[in-house]
Amino acid sequence: MTTFDEREKGFEAKYALDAEQEFKAVARRNKLLGLWAAEKMGLNADSADQYASAVVKADFEQPGEEDVFRKIAQDLQGSGLVVSEGEVRRKMDELSSVAREQIRSGE
């Protein structure tokens, strides 16, 4: 095997690892976001966990994060809470960083 082939395999392995970690980080972010929204809605611990799981599943409806945003925004509004789009998006960004750090550190 040539050095070029070894480097190519190394890059492919790193890409695969990065993609896997990003997938896990997005799922973790969605769970954390669901728990945040559940707390705002006053759900108990069991209901909060079920809601967080539903938020994670909502991400599989379509590509991107709009399906998650839409679910959270609609559910908060349906609970009678007034939460701005900006607040939800800021929380998503904040929790993205938290989730990525947790995945990198092995939590």
Side-chain angles (χ1 to χ4, degrees), residues 31-102:
K31 180 177 181 181
L32 294 172
L33 186 65
L35 292 172
W36 170 78
E39 182 180 343
K40 285 193 145 321
M41 291 186 281
L43 301 179
N44 65 34
D46 288 338
S47 295
D49 285 338
Q50 290 174 357
Y51 181 73
S53 293
V55 172
V56 171
K57 289 176 187 170
D59 192 28
F60 298 112
E61 291 176 13
Q62 60 186 358
E65 60 187 22
E66 287 306 306
D67 42 2
V68 172
F69 169 78
R70 189 173 42 256
K71 175 165 183 48
I72 294 288
Q74 288 173 351
D75 292 347
L76 289 170
Q77 184 180 26
S79 294
L81 298 170
V82 178
V83 180
S84 71
E85 176 181 343
E87 182 179 354
V88 174
R89 293 200 185 274
R90 278 190 300 277
K91 196 62 171 179
M92 288 175 82
D93 289 342
E94 174 189 329
L95 293 174
S96 287
S97 297
V98 169
R100 282 187 185 99
E101 185 56 38
Q102 287 179 352

Side-chain angles (χ1 to χ4, degrees), residues 14-47:
K14 180 168 180 2
Y15 178 81
L17 178 63
D18 289 348
E20 179 184 355
Q21 286 184 333
E22 184 61 19
F23 177 81
K24 288 179 181 179
V26 169
R28 175 81 53 97
R29 188 264 329 255
N30 293 341
K31 180 177 181 181
L32 294 172
L33 186 65
L35 292 172
W36 170 78
E39 182 180 343
K40 285 193 145 321
M41 291 186 281
L43 301 179
N44 65 34
D46 288 338
S47 295

